[in-house]
Every structure is written in C-alpha cells, then in structure tokens.
Amino acid sequence: MSLPPLSPEQQIRPRHFELRMAAIFFTLLIPNGIYIPYFPLWLTENGFGPEEVAVILSAPMFLRVVTTPFLTAMADRARDRANVYVALVAASVLVSAGYFLKPTYVLVLAVSLALAVVWTPHSPIGDSIALSGVRRYGANYTGMRIWGSISFLCANLAGGFILAHTGAQSVPLIVFLSFCAALIAGLFAPRLGPPRRASPLSATDMQASGPKLLNAYFLYFAAGTGILIGSHGFLYGFVSIYWKSIGIGDSTIGLLWAWGVAAEIGMFLFFNRLFASSTVVKVMVLAGVGAVVRWLIFPLIWPLGLGIGGFFAVQTLHALSTALILIGLQKMIAETVAEEQTGAAQGIAYFTNGFCTAAVTLVSGPIYDRFGVDGFFAMIAVALVGLACIGLAARSAPKRS
C-alpha cells in the first residue's frame, strides 16, 4: 500500500530540528537517571521492607508493557505526536507530585502505577518524532539520541552528590523538577504533523503482523534477550540499598551507576570495530557470559576485601551484560525480520524485556530479604536460562545460502 504524500507544511524542515530534539532527549531521561538508582533508597528510608519495595518497583513494570503500546498508537492517530508528548509529560509532573504526600504503602504504589502509565511513553514517542526527522530531512539520529545517555549519566552523578548533602528524602523533589524541565523542553518540540506509518509500538501493527513472527528462531531469541535483561532486576531494585547498607556514600553510589552507563556508551561507540564480523549468536553468548560472570563476582567483592574499586570493575561488565544484549537484539531484527514486520518485532521484544524484568524484580524482594547480596547468585540461574534460549535460537536459525 502506498503512503500518502507529505503536505506542503510537512516538507519544510523545522528550524533547529536536531537541537530541539537533543533537548527533548536530554530532559526526558533525567528523571530515569534519578528514579532508577535512588528511588529504592527513598523507599527504604521511609520504612518499606524488601518485599514492599519489590512490589512497588515491579507492579508498574507489568502495567506499562500493557498500556504503552496503546498510548503510542494514540500518538500516531493524533494531529501531532508532539502534542501527545507534552500532555503526557504534563501529566507526569502532576502525578509525580503525589510523592510529596505522606508515603504510605498504598499511596506510593498507586502513584507509581499511575506514573508508569503516563511516563513510559515519553521515550518511544520522542524516538518516533526523531525518526520522522531522519526520514524526511536526513537528520542525524545518533547525534540527537546520545544526549539522552549523557543526561542519564549526569543525573546519576548529580543525584548522588545532592543526596549526599540532603538525604534520600529529596528524591521526589528532584524527580518532580526533572519532569518540569522535560515539560519546558517539550513545549519547543518540533511539530511535524501526523506520521505516515505506525510507530514501532503500535498495538495495531503488533496484532496484524505479530503472528507472522511466530517462528522458533525469533521467539527463542526474544525470550533469551528478555530473560537476560530480566536478570538485571535484582541489580536495579536492590544494589543501591546494598551499597548503602555497607557504608558507601550517596555520591559514590552515583559514580558507580554512572560508570556502568559510561561502559554501556563505550560499547555503543566501539561495537562495529569490535564485533562487525561476529554473528549475532556469538554476540549474545558473550553478553550472556558477561551477565553470569557479573552476578558471580558481585557478592564476593566486599567479603574478599576488593573494596569500592572492585565494584567499579564489575560495573564495567554492564558493557557486556546490557549494551551487547540491546545491540544484539537490533542486529538480529535487522538481519532476519522483513522491514514491514520490524514494528511488530520491536513491540514483542519490548514486551518480553519488560515482562521478564518485572517478574524478576518482584521475586527479588523476598530473595534480598532472606539472602541479601547473595541473591545475585540466583540471577546466575536466570541468566543461564536466557543463554539456553539463545542456544535453542541458534539451532533453529534460518539457513543462509
């Protein structure tokens, strides 16, 4: 089916398109850089136990894998996706203010669930606006998107230093102000009119094209990547709490998180030089091995007296256990999925990653409550299951001539 032509207004490149989108990406990931490492600390400081922390962190993950495709599809049907983006960011500002109320378990869980609905679509909608600029005007996507990674890293660092002086009670205020900054940048988002093709997370595309992807290779691969990503649930939920419990300060915790992000960025920069000739299966096996080694070493660092330097060393493995998985997944889709099915493929991959992370985060609460940092050993078993799925995918890989 041929696509409708661009209107005369849509053919005009908005002024400073790449600069404005860089500002969007920079501001939309600042809240993530605060929420992921420091929100668990705020929860424990307010008296929530490990099981309650696990539920508060995991329940929104389950919810967002259901709601996000419908909201991004709604953005596709709107007169302009930027308007939907601004509305969702404004809603995030309002909902995040709920954390200023007395933090009871029911209230915090309700605010977290509502925030997941309006917050999670920010990134895919921002990506869709940027990619429209790439298609229509030849904009440089990586030049825009890299500012999101930079802001995430900066938020890790700045958040740690702020919390070192104010304590974890300032986390809701920082998150709220971050959303306010994202809203200001969103008001200047380029208006491109309606898209000409559904977004990568369109629920309609997933329903129509998904069954065509139900082959053993793709399903095993998607399951393997989802489970490997999911094995990080224990890390994201409880590593900051663990570091705090052994006396590591907030500023150092921020540096440790930032170091992992820096290693991830480094892998993105040098992947083609290192793995251009490697098969996607080899890349994913290396990623899985990196995850197993990471979870094996993590609980031993402090007992063996390796100190903070040991944690920085093991955080470097984020380049393997996370960056390689994300790159390998896109490499597999690019090599084996037809162009008209890539939207459905991305949607299925998003679902598996989100569901597995949520499931592991949910069970991580009781695990941490009983075993503490030794719960990382349980993540080895999770990662090995992911590696087994990658092995099954390799056996069912399509034959090349």
Side-chain angles (χ1 to χ4, degrees):
M1 181 179 68
S2 61
L3 296 173
L6 292 172
S7 67
E9 294 79 10
Q10 290 177 303
Q11 296 179 36
I12 301 174
R13 182 188 180 111
R15 294 185 60 188
H16 307 300
F17 176 83
E18 291 175 328
L19 177 62
R20 291 156 71 181
M21 286 309 306
I24 294 292
F25 283 123
F26 188 88
T27 54
L28 76 82
L29 284 177
I30 292 177
N32 296 70
I34 299 296
Y35 195 92
I36 292 175
Y38 303 118
F39 186 66
L41 295 179
W42 180 77
L43 292 174
T44 57
E45 194 165 299
N46 282 283
F48 296 108
E51 294 189 13
E52 293 174 316
V53 171
V55 173
I56 291 172
L57 294 179
S58 63
M61 297 179 188
F62 285 112
L63 180 61
R64 71 189 185 192
V65 298
V66 177
T67 60
T68 298
F70 292 98
L71 288 171
T72 53
M74 180 184 71
D76 284 343
R77 296 190 296 268
R79 294 186 61 182
D80 200 297
R81 286 165 294 181
N83 296 334
V84 178
Y85 176 81
V86 171
L88 290 172
V89 176
S92 300
V93 172
L94 295 175
V95 174
S96 65
Y99 288 130
F100 296 147
L101 302 175
K102 185 178 180 180
T104 64
Y105 176 67
V106 173
L107 174 69
V108 173
L109 179 59
V111 172
S112 299
L113 288 170
L115 189 58
V117 173
V118 296
W119 181 9
T120 308
H122 295 185
S123 186
I125 293 176
D127 277 330
S128 67
I129 297 173
L131 290 176
S132 290
V134 173
R135 295 188 183 102
R136 298 179 190 182
Y137 320 118
N140 182 356
Y141 176 78
T142 56
M144 298 179 286
R145 182 59 178 80
I146 195 172
W147 288 100
S149 299
I150 291 172
S151 72
F152 187 91
L153 187 151
C154 292
N156 290 164
L157 292 172
F161 285 107
I162 294 173
L163 265 63
H165 292 88
T166 65
Q169 292 301 326
S170 62
V171 169
L173 177 61
I174 301 173
V175 171
F176 175 81
L177 293 176
S178 300
F179 281 127
C180 290
L183 178 59
I184 294 172
L187 296 175
F188 297 93
R191 266 58 178 181
L192 305 179
R196 300 168 75 215
R197 187 182 288 273
S199 72
L201 292 180
S202 167
T204 303
D205 274 2
M206 289 173 62
Q207 183 178 6
S209 302
K212 301 176 184 178
L213 293 170
L214 300 183
N215 61 80
Y217 177 70
F218 178 81
L219 292 179
Y220 280 134
F221 208 102
T225 56
I227 294 170
L228 287 172
I229 289 291
S231 72
H232 292 68
F234 188 86
L235 175 85
Y236 295 143
F238 294 96
V239 72
S240 292
I241 297 173
Y242 165 66
W243 282 332
K244 191 80 171 179
S245 71
I246 58 177
I248 296 178
D250 292 310
S251 57
T252 304
I253 290 174
L255 288 170
L256 286 166
W257 277 96
W259 184 257
V261 178
E264 179 181 325
I265 294 172
M267 179 58 73
F268 277 105
L269 291 174
F270 294 103
F271 175 82
N272 285 334
R273 296 185 184 181
L274 297 173
F275 301 105
S277 60
S278 300
T279 66
V280 67
V281 171
K282 289 182 179 178
V283 169
M284 293 306 302
V285 168
L286 179 59
V289 171
V292 170
V293 173
R294 190 179 186 184
W295 311 143
L296 176 64
I297 295 176
F298 217 110
L300 305 177
I301 291 174
W302 204 250
L304 292 178
L306 300 179
I308 294 175
F311 287 124
F312 274 103
V314 78
Q315 280 294 85
T316 306
L317 289 174
H318 199 71
L320 300 182
S321 70
T322 298
L324 275 189
I325 294 173
L326 298 176
I327 298 172
L329 175 63
Q330 299 305 318
K331 182 177 173 69
M332 182 275 293
I333 292 175
E335 290 178 351
T336 62
V337 177
E339 183 177 359
E340 64 270 17
Q341 294 179 273
T342 54
Q346 297 285 358
I348 293 172
Y350 174 86
F351 177 84
T352 56
N353 290 351
F355 181 84
C356 292
T357 301
V360 173
T361 302
L362 180 62
V363 301
S364 292
I367 292 174
Y368 184 80
D369 189 33
R370 181 171 181 179
F371 300 105
V373 70
D374 289 341
F376 274 112
F377 291 134
M379 298 303 105
I380 297 175
V382 177
L384 288 175
V385 173
L387 269 174
C389 290
I390 298 299
L392 292 172
R395 292 183 60 182
S396 57
K399 304 298 182 182
R400 295 178 180 272
S401 58

